[in-house]
Amino acid sequence: MSNSPSFNRRAFIGSVAAVGAAGLAVPALAQFAEPIPAAAPVSAGPQHNISSFRMQDWRPYFQNLSNGAVLCDLKSRALHFWSEDEQTYRLYPSSIPVSDDLTRTGRTEIIRKVEGPSWAPTPAMKERNPDWPDFVPPGPDNPLGTHALWLTWEYYRIHGTHDTRKIGRPSSNGCIGLYNEHIAELYNLTKIGTQVLII
């Protein structure tokens, strides 16, 4: 063992990453992204989401799998999908709403599917963030990522994100966010009428 002063591994890794990224441009999306709190160390606090990252039974949550089923578990920050024929199960890490007042729970369903969605802030979002753009077309700067699933609740979506820092954190204005590769897969697995439960 070395007798040198204590070594702060996290600070070292952060400084190396900062030096490596010095020449990179910040994505345009960062202009109107909500601040993201620093992630807690892996050893800090209970690991409350571990149980959700394994195969779960759909029966406690749904009466049947008609049209397939999506379960969004806010506590574990995970989205589960079961196909109608029970042959396909998927589990994806997700982002969740940043605060309780932006969170909606309960039963809904997918009513629209869009590949290459455009985005516009809700009136409440624009009031909180007047500098945000009024409209963002489909593309790499779009906050909805590559695909979006509209729910019956106004303004609520399950969608992708190009800002991968958001996944696994409370960082959305009410929606459930997935990595773009995951939302693309879920988009192909779901249909209009797929049941959704957010708990």
Side-chain angles (χ1 to χ4, degrees):
M1 245 187 214
S2 168
N3 291 329
S4 62
S6 64
F7 177 72
N8 185 329
R9 184 172 177 261
R10 181 175 294 260
F12 173 75
I13 292 172
S15 65
V16 169
V19 169
L24 299 178
V26 177
L29 174 59
Q31 297 175 40
F32 50 93
E34 293 283 354
I36 299 173
V42 173
S43 59
Q47 300 299 306
H48 62 269
N49 64 344
I50 291 173
S51 64
S52 290
F53 283 89
R54 58 178 112 105
M55 179 69 163
Q56 296 288 320
D57 184 9
W58 59 269
R59 288 167 189 82
Y61 308 102
F62 301 96
Q63 292 183 352
N64 57 58
L65 289 178
S66 177
N67 293 320
V70 171
L71 173 69
C72 303
D73 185 341
L74 301 177
K75 184 175 181 181
S76 66
R77 302 170 190 174
L79 183 148
H80 302 260
F81 169 80
W82 296 270
S83 63
E84 185 170 19
D85 63 6
E86 296 190 54
Q87 297 304 301
T88 304
Y89 170 79
R90 294 288 185 272
L91 176 62
Y92 307 110
S94 69
S95 66
I96 62 170
V98 74
S99 63
D100 288 343
D101 62 313
L102 295 173
T103 302
R104 184 153 186 186
T105 58
R107 296 188 184 278
T108 181
E109 66 182 56
I110 296 171
I111 60 169
R112 184 177 174 210
K113 298 172 57 174
V114 178
E115 185 172 356
S118 57
W119 176 85
T122 67
M125 290 163 70
K126 192 68 176 173
E127 187 176 323
R128 288 191 306 271
N129 305 281
D131 293 337
W132 282 10
D134 294 326
F135 178 81
V136 178
D141 296 330
N142 192 292
L144 297 184
T146 60
H147 299 75
L149 305 172
W150 265 241
L151 305 178
T152 57
W153 305 329
E154 187 176 23
Y155 303 128
Y156 287 84
R157 317 268 187 267
I158 299 171
H159 62 80
T161 180
H162 295 289
D163 188 350
T164 57
R165 300 169 301 163
K166 292 185 170 191
I167 303 303
R169 297 181 179 189
S171 58
S172 81
N173 280 281
C175 295
I176 303 298
L178 301 177
Y179 290 117
N180 278 328
E181 56 269 27
H182 291 164
I183 190 63
E185 183 177 60
L186 185 64
Y187 180 94
N188 291 323
L189 291 170
T190 56
K191 59 179 84 169
I192 303 300
T194 294
Q195 44 190 327
V196 176
L197 173 60
I198 300 178
I199 59 171

